[in-house]
């Protein structure tokens, strides 16, 4: 690198590593590692050699006009500042890896499963837990600083982020969307009628299940859906269903369904969807999900209460695993405890304590049916301090004991 002092570049790497606590590497134009400053760095156990993945991050045609931010399929983030001498690419300074947020152990395990790596998961978990967290703006600012020390050029953070987004869009859209649209028009290959789609999700917002199913039948019989996977019809159907469930979730919330209930339903149906391997089952699940949203909206619209009561109900739903008190709720809605108790009983027909018990027992039913949690575990989870009292309350609302319900959930 004749125009740049090697000692100067190593100095930059060393001090950037000490300042930002992420490794910094200096590579020549062939991708050979010249220098590294990587104090405290734990190498990814999925890579055979450090230089292999570092050299893959380099591209001779990448711009040297701004630092490049790249994310790998393993969700690691790197910043790259290319070294340009005239028209000659002379190498790169690479900083990373880092992550934008701390990843949970479950997420790391799922990612390991998806990518098909057969390695001790504990090593991978330890690796990700060792990575420094740097938000996009912070990583970009670090890149701008390196760029300035090399080129003495002032850059704006938003400009650099935008340029990276443009470059990313160019990489993803290898085929022109306009060309694909033209081909569809030439072949008279159109999507379903937007008006039918609007009426379908409008039926969910209104809580009208039969109307919803009618529009769904029309859409299935008369129109063609888009293709959301070029290589797999099953994956395409799943992606379409996920899109539909997402729209149904929004429609249900517009209709008055509690957001937490709507989001939870969305998560549950999408998780079930991913386990299916039959296209007909995927379509049945979408119909069931849509109908469930419509029914729940209908129920919530029948039970129209004043704002303080609705706030209390939403709070109780979201905090069902906690010990909910009257003083908490009265403070939430800024009413006296006595007045809130009286108002709640007047509007709903049940006392606050009974309502809280009912919500907890409904959740206990879900846990008994859908999980392997023991009775004592469920009792503790739902903040019942006494198991015999929990059984008594359960029988009051369910009509049977928890054991009988678990053995005969349909009844």
């Amino acid at each position: 690198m004749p125009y740049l002092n090697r000692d100067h570049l190593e100095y930059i790497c060393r001090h950037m590593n000490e300042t930002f606590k992420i490794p910094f590497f200096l590579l020549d134009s062939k991708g050979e590692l010249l220098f590294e400053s990587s104090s405290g760095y734990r190498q990814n156990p999925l890579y055979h050699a450090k230089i292999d993945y570092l050299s893959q991050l380099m591209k001779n045609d990448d711009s040297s006009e701004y630092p490049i931010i790249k994310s790998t399929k393993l969700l690691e983030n790197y910043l790259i500042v290319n070294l340009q001498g005239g028209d000659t690419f002379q190498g790169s300074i690479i900083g990373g890896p880092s992550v934008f947020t701390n990843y949970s152990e479950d997420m790391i395990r799922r990612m390991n499963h998806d990518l098909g790596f057969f390695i001790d998961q504990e090593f991978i978990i330890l690796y990700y837990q060792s990575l420094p967290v740097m938000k996009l703006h912070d990583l970009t600012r670090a890149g701008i600083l390196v760029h300035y020390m090399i080129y003495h050029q002032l850059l704006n953070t938003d400009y650099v982020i935008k340029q990276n987004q443009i470059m990313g869009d160019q990489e993803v859209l290898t085929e022109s969307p306009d060309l694909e649209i033209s081909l569809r028009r030439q072949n008279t290959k159109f999507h379903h009628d937007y008006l039918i789609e609007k009426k379908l999700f409008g039926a969910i917002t209104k809580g009208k299940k039969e109307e919803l199913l009618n529009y769904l039948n029309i859409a299935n019989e008369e129109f063609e859906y888009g293709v959301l996977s070029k290589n797999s019809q099953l994956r395409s159907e799943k992606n379409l269903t996920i899109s539909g469930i997402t729209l149904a979730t929004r429609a249900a919330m517009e209709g008055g369904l509690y957001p937490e209930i709507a989001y939870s339903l969305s998560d549950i149906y999408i998780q079930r969807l991913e386990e299916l391997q039959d296209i007909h089952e995927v379509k049945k699940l979408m119909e069931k999900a849509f109908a469930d949203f419509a029914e729940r909206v209908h129920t919530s619209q029948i039970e129209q209460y004043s704002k303080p009561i609705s706030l209390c109900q939403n709070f109780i739903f979201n905090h069902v695993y906690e010990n909910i008190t009257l003083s908490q709720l009265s403070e939430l809605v800024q009413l006296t405890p006595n007045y809130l108790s009286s108002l709640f009983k007047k509007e709903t027909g049940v006392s606050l304590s009974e309502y809280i018990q009912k919500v907890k027992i409904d959740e206990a039913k879900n846990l008994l049916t859908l999980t392997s949690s023991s009775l004592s575990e469920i009792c503790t989870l739902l903040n019942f301090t006494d198991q015999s009292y929990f059984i008594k309350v359960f029988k009051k609302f369910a009509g049977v004991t928890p054991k009988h319900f678990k053995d005969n959930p349909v009844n």
Side-chain angles (χ1 to χ4, degrees):
M1 299 179 187
Y3 87 107
L4 285 173
N5 184 287
R6 168 79 175 267
D7 291 338
H8 180 213
L9 295 173
E10 291 182 5
Y11 176 89
I12 292 174
C13 290
R14 189 180 303 111
H15 283 274
M16 291 299 292
N17 170 233
E18 293 172 358
T19 302
F20 291 96
K21 309 303 180 187
I22 63 174
F24 273 82
F25 306 92
L26 174 62
L27 283 74
D28 66 15
S29 60
K30 297 179 181 179
E32 296 294 328
L33 182 63
L34 301 178
F35 177 78
E36 72 173 275
S37 182
S38 53
S39 175
Y41 170 57
R42 181 194 295 265
Q43 183 170 321
N44 191 327
L46 299 174
Y47 295 126
H48 294 297
K50 183 188 307 175
I51 193 62
D52 291 341
Y53 66 85
L54 287 176
S55 58
Q56 289 173 12
L57 294 168
M58 295 174 55
K59 283 187 179 179
N60 289 10
D61 58 348
D62 278 344
S63 171
S64 61
E65 297 176 1
Y66 54 85
I68 298 162
I69 308 297
K70 285 191 176 180
S71 296
T72 70
K73 65 180 180 179
L74 298 176
L75 304 183
E76 304 157 304
N77 303 317
Y78 292 87
L79 70 85
I80 303 153
V81 176
N82 285 329
L83 305 170
Q84 199 80 14
D87 295 329
T88 306
F89 173 74
Q90 299 192 15
S92 301
I93 285 181
I94 298 178
S98 63
V99 289
F100 289 144
T101 186
N102 288 315
Y103 300 126
S104 68
E105 291 187 12
D106 284 343
M107 180 178 176
I108 296 169
R109 288 191 177 96
R110 289 195 299 270
M111 183 175 66
N112 187 33
H113 174 269
D114 291 343
L115 295 173
F117 293 121
F118 299 99
I119 193 170
D120 191 334
Q121 293 192 14
E122 296 309 313
F123 285 114
I124 298 176
I125 291 170
L126 286 173
Y127 167 71
Y128 277 97
Q129 290 176 340
S130 74
L131 292 180
V133 175
M134 287 189 73
K135 301 298 183 184
L136 175 60
H137 275 76
D138 294 331
L139 191 60
T140 304
R141 290 188 188 100
I144 288 173
L145 184 57
V146 174
H147 189 275
Y148 178 77
M149 287 189 284
I150 295 171
Y151 297 107
H152 305 292
Q153 181 184 5
L154 299 175
L155 295 176
N156 177 274
T157 304
D158 292 337
Y159 164 78
V160 173
I161 291 175
K162 184 177 181 181
Q163 291 302 118
N164 274 279
Q165 288 173 339
I166 292 171
M167 184 173 66
D169 291 343
Q170 291 171 345
E171 291 177 357
V172 171
L173 296 176
T174 54
E175 297 179 8
S176 167
D178 291 330
L179 175 60
E180 181 67 21
I181 291 170
S182 295
L183 292 173
R184 284 173 177 267
R185 292 172 69 188
Q186 292 170 28
N187 295 313
T188 62
K189 187 178 181 182
F190 303 121
H191 285 77
H192 57 276
D193 189 342
Y194 168 67
L195 183 60
I196 293 294
E197 177 185 299
K198 190 174 180 180
K199 289 180 177 179
L200 189 155
F201 291 109
I204 293 177
T205 300
K206 292 183 288 186
K208 296 188 175 181
K209 178 182 172 181
E210 297 306 319
E211 186 176 310
L212 157 74
L213 295 177
N214 180 48
Y215 287 128
L216 191 58
N217 286 334
I218 293 173
N220 288 335
E221 290 175 5
E222 298 184 13
F223 302 105
E224 180 178 355
Y225 291 99
V227 177
L228 299 188
S229 173
K230 288 186 175 182
N231 301 318
S232 168
Q233 184 59 28
L234 176 62
R235 185 67 260 170
S236 183
E237 292 290 346
K238 285 186 176 183
N239 291 343
L240 283 166
T241 301
I242 291 171
S243 301
I245 290 173
T246 301
L247 292 173
T249 303
R250 301 295 184 275
M253 288 191 290
E254 289 176 12
L257 189 63
Y258 293 145
E260 188 59 32
I261 295 177
Y263 286 131
S264 296
L265 278 176
S266 175
D267 292 346
I268 290 166
Y269 278 114
I270 290 173
Q271 288 168 9
R272 290 179 182 174
L273 168 73
E274 289 299 335
E275 296 172 358
L276 302 179
Q277 298 301 320
D278 183 273
I279 290 176
H280 296 294
E281 290 180 358
V282 170
K283 291 181 177 180
K284 287 179 183 177
L285 182 135
M286 182 172 71
E287 183 177 311
K288 177 175 173 55
F290 284 9
D292 194 358
F293 276 115
E295 286 179 341
R296 289 174 186 266
V297 169
H298 177 70
T299 301
S300 69
Q301 289 177 346
I302 291 174
E303 300 172 345
Q304 287 293 331
Y305 302 118
S306 62
K307 186 176 180 180
I309 303 308
S310 294
L311 283 172
C312 285
Q313 290 176 324
N314 197 30
F315 182 89
I316 293 166
F317 178 85
N318 291 336
H319 298 81
V320 68
Y321 289 97
E322 300 172 19
N323 182 32
I324 304 167
T325 64
L326 176 58
S327 59
Q328 271 183 306
L329 296 172
S330 61
E331 186 176 339
L332 173 72
V333 298
Q334 297 184 331
L335 295 174
T336 65
N338 287 339
Y339 182 71
L340 176 59
S341 294
S342 174
L343 182 65
F344 197 96
K345 179 70 178 287
K346 180 181 178 182
E347 291 195 21
T348 67
V350 297
S351 68
L352 248 173
S353 59
E354 283 183 302
Y355 183 83
I356 293 171
Q357 286 179 344
K358 183 181 183 303
V359 173
K360 285 181 176 286
I361 296 309
D362 285 343
E363 185 66 5
K365 290 178 182 178
N366 290 332
L367 295 174
L368 286 167
T369 307
L370 304 173
T371 75
S372 59
S373 299
S374 68
L375 188 59
S376 60
E377 288 172 336
I378 293 172
C379 180
T380 302
L381 278 171
L382 292 170
N383 258 279
F384 284 91
T385 55
D386 182 80
Q387 187 168 320
S388 60
Y389 178 65
F390 169 69
I391 294 172
K392 179 181 178 182
V393 175
F394 190 98
K395 190 171 182 180
K396 172 185 173 182
F397 289 98
V400 294
T401 64
K403 184 180 185 307
H404 186 276
F405 180 85
K406 186 176 180 65
D407 295 339
N408 305 275
V410 176
N411 295 328

